[in-house]
């Protein structure tokens, strides 16, 4: 199978594929290797944890349904500790399953069966959004937090909070035009998932990170019947 190569970072990204289906895991390992990635593979969450303890990865492709610790459980655990981007794979493509994956902290969600080329495109999209070294960067202040739009980084002094690619994309889009209300259609045109529930999940997670009281948001506000607006300091 051949495809047009996508633009990737200068160094080959290291991907960890975790799936209990031997044939699919090997097929993904071969395909991703042929398309510019270094690929390691694990058959379950326990094996993945051992590899994560000894190797550095840029992204994990993770099956939701596995024996033992599920993909969702592993995602929640890893997200509580920080930073590895996670793309979930599942045989269930219903909206509730996608929302569950986002709520667990996944960066993206791909239902099976899928075209391998779409997987490559989604991985590449996530990697492009990761914080990159930069010189000067536009910053937006949100109370004690500062959002660096170039690095897609949220920090307060020495403390830094990792944003998922979806959260970073949403916050960057809103921060580009503070005070402007974005409808879901506007967000869709900006490349953000325009599904209402998916956006609500991203907004809820962002508020937990930037707001003193997420139930009464000061910065990321809902304009009833219209959309969302960012009102920085």
């Amino acid at each position: 199978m051949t495809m047009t190569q996508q633009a990737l970072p200068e160094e080959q990204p290291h991907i960890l594929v975790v799936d209990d289906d031997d044939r699919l895991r090997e097929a993904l390992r071969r395909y991703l290797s042929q398309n510019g990635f270094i690929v390691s593979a694990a058959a379950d969450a326990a094996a993945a944890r051992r590899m994560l303890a000894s190797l550095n990865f840029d992204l994990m492709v993770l099956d939701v349904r596995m024996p033992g610790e599920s993909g969702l459980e592993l995602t929640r655990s890893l997200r509580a500790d920080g930073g590895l981007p996670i793309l979930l794979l599942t045989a269930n493509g219903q909206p509730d399953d996608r929302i569950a994956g986002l709520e667990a902290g996944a960066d993206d969600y791909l239902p099976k069966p899928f075209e391998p080329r779409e997987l490559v495109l989604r991985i590449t999209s996530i990697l492009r959004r990761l914080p990159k070294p930069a010189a000067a960067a536009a910053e937006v202040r949100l109370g004690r937090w500062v959002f660096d739009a170039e690095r897609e980084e949220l920090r307060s002094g020495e403390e830094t909070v990792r944003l998922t690619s979806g959260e970073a994309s949403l916050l960057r889009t809103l921060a580009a035009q503070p005070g402007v209300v974005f409808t879901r259609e506007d967000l869709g045109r900006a490349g953000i998932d325009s599904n209402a529930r998916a956006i609500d999940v991203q907004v809820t997670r962002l508020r937990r990170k930037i707001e003193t009281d997420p139930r009464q948001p000061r910065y990321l506000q809902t304009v009833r019947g219209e959309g969302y607006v960012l009102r920085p300091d």
Side-chain angles (χ1 to χ4, degrees):
M1 187 180 300
T2 61
M3 63 168 284
T4 302
Q5 293 283 339
Q6 302 299 315
L8 294 170
E10 292 182 5
E11 295 185 3
Q12 285 182 291
H14 192 178
I15 307 298
L16 175 59
V17 174
V18 187
D19 198 305
D20 64 316
D21 185 322
D22 294 341
R23 292 179 61 184
L24 177 60
R25 187 175 66 250
E26 178 58 21
L28 292 178
R29 188 196 64 76
R30 288 199 310 269
Y31 187 81
L32 292 175
S33 296
Q34 292 167 1
N35 285 276
F37 301 98
I38 299 170
V39 185
S40 299
D44 56 29
R49 285 186 179 279
R50 289 193 293 272
M51 298 182 79
L52 289 167
S54 59
L55 295 170
N56 292 322
F57 295 95
D58 296 289
L59 182 142
M60 179 163 57
V61 176
L62 175 62
D63 186 34
V64 168
R65 292 193 174 184
M66 297 185 297
E69 185 178 14
S70 73
L72 287 180
E73 291 169 335
L74 180 57
T75 298
R76 292 191 189 98
S77 174
L78 294 176
R79 191 56 71 234
D81 295 331
L84 180 67
I86 298 172
L87 191 158
L88 289 176
L89 304 178
T90 181
N92 297 322
Q94 298 301 315
D96 286 347
D97 297 301
R98 174 174 169 76
I99 298 303
L102 294 173
E103 289 177 333
D107 292 82
D108 205 350
Y109 191 96
L110 188 59
K112 300 177 182 178
F114 54 85
E115 286 292 330
R117 183 171 182 271
E118 182 178 2
L119 176 62
V120 170
L121 290 170
R122 288 178 182 246
I123 290 173
T124 303
S125 177
I126 293 172
L127 293 176
R128 282 176 181 154
R129 293 181 181 135
L130 293 179
K132 304 174 183 63
E139 295 182 343
V140 174
R141 181 165 294 280
L142 305 163
R144 75 183 186 94
W145 295 103
V146 173
F147 176 60
D148 184 326
E150 182 68 24
R151 295 176 183 266
E152 296 187 343
E153 181 180 86
L154 189 65
R155 67 177 186 274
S156 177
E158 296 299 315
E159 181 182 0
T160 300
V161 174
R162 198 195 83 82
L163 302 173
T164 67
S165 60
E167 293 167 354
S169 181
L170 177 59
L171 188 53
R172 185 184 65 248
T173 300
L174 295 174
Q177 299 185 66
V180 174
V181 178
F182 284 77
T183 66
R184 291 189 174 92
E185 290 73 19
D186 293 333
L187 295 173
R189 285 191 291 271
I192 298 168
D193 191 336
S194 58
N195 177 278
R197 293 184 62 196
I199 289 178
D200 290 344
V201 168
Q202 305 284 16
V203 168
T204 297
R205 284 168 45 181
L206 273 175
R207 283 174 174 162
R208 289 172 182 163
K209 294 177 178 181
I210 66 175
E211 301 285 357
T212 302
D213 183 356
R215 294 169 298 180
Q216 298 182 358
R218 156 70 179 83
Y219 302 105
L220 179 48
Q221 298 181 3
T222 301
V223 179
R224 188 177 297 276
E226 296 187 46
Y228 296 102
V229 59
L230 190 70
R231 302 189 187 281
D233 290 328

